[in-house]
């Protein structure tokens, strides 16, 4: 990992859940676009390996392993971001968990309370904690970009979304809307990308994943499911200067499977 003490001018992006899947693709894309990256996930070994690979490709990257539902750890992560880079410009709230029973979303009566608590903690409370700790750093420069990663399961009934997961992701839409209204006057925009089905470890963990890939591709006008880079490209636009007038919007990135 390169220690970039010149980061006073280089913009800095914090990407949660960035050790693999969509978060990794977002981190790599933002690094290519010139951002220094604070890379987060909870498993230190996988995260450090991802950071080493990105650094070998020329990225300025600093890993911080923590469970983002741990408020003390989140506070430490933001302190370390400031110490390491001296600024923070972008937050991508990407990390999430999708807990299922036997690989499938259980019905109401079969939904364990532990699943509800965990998914609300990681998928909704944690983004709130991260934003609360990050926004003071962004306000200093009167510039910032916050992106939430939602889910198509809050936009349409796919038959493949658990109740706690959809509830947490729906909560993100409310959080994003109100933050957009509150923070716009500070030069900080807040948007949500809402992926359709994307080929990652999460989607591959579902019991009938191959059949689901085929079914979703058939239901999608562009004829395929998503790849992590499809979501990363949308995030890259939303955190760019070009997106200065885009605030409080929900961006469906799903090949047209959901058409509002
Ligand atoms: N894949 C899809 O089809 C799809 C569709 C719609 C929306 N999404 C959304 O897209 C985002 C990324 O999903 P993905 O498919 O890339 O998932 P993934 O492959 O399972 O990756 C999830 C990432 O989040 C990290 N993570 C999980 N719990 C964490 C915690 N408590 N603290 C910190 N990091 C944590 C994981 O690392 P550790 O395990 O080491 O913590 C990993 O880096 C999620 O918000 C998901 O809900 C995905």
């Amino acid at each position: 990992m390169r220690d970039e003490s010149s980061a006073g001018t280089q913009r800095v992006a914090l990407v949660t859940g960035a050790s693999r899947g969509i978060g990794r693709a977002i981190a790599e894309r933002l690094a290519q676009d010139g951002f220094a990256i604070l890379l987060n996930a909870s498993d230190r070994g996988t995260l450090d390996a991802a950071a080493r690979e990105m650094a070998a490709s020329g990225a300025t990257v600093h890993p911080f392993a923590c469970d983002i539902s741990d408020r003390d750890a989140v506070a430490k992560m933001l302190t370390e971001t400031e110490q390491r880079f001296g600024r923070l410009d972008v937050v991508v709230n990407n990390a999430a968990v999708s807990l299922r029973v036997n690989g499938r979303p259980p019905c109401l009566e079969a939904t364990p309370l532990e699943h509800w608590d965990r998914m609300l903690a990681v998928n909704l409370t944690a983004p709130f904690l991260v934003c609360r700790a990050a926004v003071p750093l962004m306000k200093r420069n009167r510039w910032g970009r916050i992106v939430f990663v939602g889910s198509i399961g809050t936009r349409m009934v796919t038959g493949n979304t658990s109740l706690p997961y959809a509830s947490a992701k729906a909560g993100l839409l409310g959080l994003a809307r109100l933050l957009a209204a509150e923070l716009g006057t500070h030069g900080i925009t807040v948007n949500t990308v809402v992926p359709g089905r994307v080929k990652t470890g999460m989607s591959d963990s579902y019991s009938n994943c191959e059949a689901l890939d085929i079914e979703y591709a058939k239901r999608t006008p562009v004829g395929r499911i998503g790849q992590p880079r499809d979501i990363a490209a949308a995030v890259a636009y939303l955190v760019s200067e070009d997106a200065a007038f885009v605030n409080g919007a929900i961006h469906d990135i799903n090949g047209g499977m959901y058409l509002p």
Side-chain angles (χ1 to χ4, degrees), residues 114-178:
E114 297 72 28
H115 283 198
W116 177 271
D117 287 344
R118 186 66 183 151
M119 282 191 263
L120 269 287
V122 175
N123 300 1
L124 180 59
T125 304
F128 161 75
L129 294 172
V130 171
C131 289
R132 197 177 57 165
V135 161
L137 286 176
M138 293 179 170
K139 280 184 176 172
R140 275 191 211 159
N141 293 336
R142 291 201 56 76
W143 195 96
R145 301 277 191 262
I146 296 173
V147 179
F148 293 97
V149 179
S151 171
I152 193 170
T154 61
R155 306 286 273 161
M156 65 185 290
V157 177
T158 64
N160 189 42
T161 310
S162 71
L163 293 168
Y165 182 86
S167 302
K169 292 291 187 179
L172 282 184
L173 300 180
L175 179 60
R177 178 182 291 121
L178 289 191

Side-chain angles (χ1 to χ4, degrees), residues 243-257:
F245 200 54
V246 183
N247 188 29
I250 298 170
H251 305 267
D252 293 297
I253 314 294
N254 57 51
M257 178 170 156

Side-chain angles (χ1 to χ4, degrees), residues 17-22 40-43 66-68 94-97 118 122 149-151 165 169 195-198 200-203:
S19 60
R20 58 174 192 266
I22 293 170
N40 158 263
S42 67
D43 183 80
C66 76
D67 176 347
I68 47 155
N94 165 80
V97 284
R118 186 66 183 151
V122 175
V149 179
S151 171
Y165 182 86
K169 292 291 187 179
R197 186 172 176 80
V198 177
T200 67
M202 182 184 282
S203 56

Side-chain angles (χ1 to χ4, degrees), residues 10-16 26-27 30-31 33-39 77-78 81 85 87-94 130-131 134-135 137-139 141 143-148 187-189 191 235-241:
Q10 186 178 23
R11 281 192 169 149
V12 177
L14 162 61
V15 185
T16 68
I26 292 169
L30 298 191
D33 290 355
F35 289 87
I37 309 292
L38 197 296
L39 205 67
M77 178 168 69
L78 271 297
T81 303
F85 295 116
R87 61 186 291 163
L88 180 64
D89 304 279
V90 168
V91 170
V92 183
N93 289 290
N94 165 80
V130 171
C131 289
V135 161
L137 286 176
M138 293 179 170
K139 280 184 176 172
N141 293 336
W143 195 96
R145 301 277 191 262
I146 296 173
V147 179
F148 293 97
I188 301 168
T189 64
N191 288 284
V235 173
Y237 165 66
L238 290 172
V239 305
S240 71
E241 286 295 346

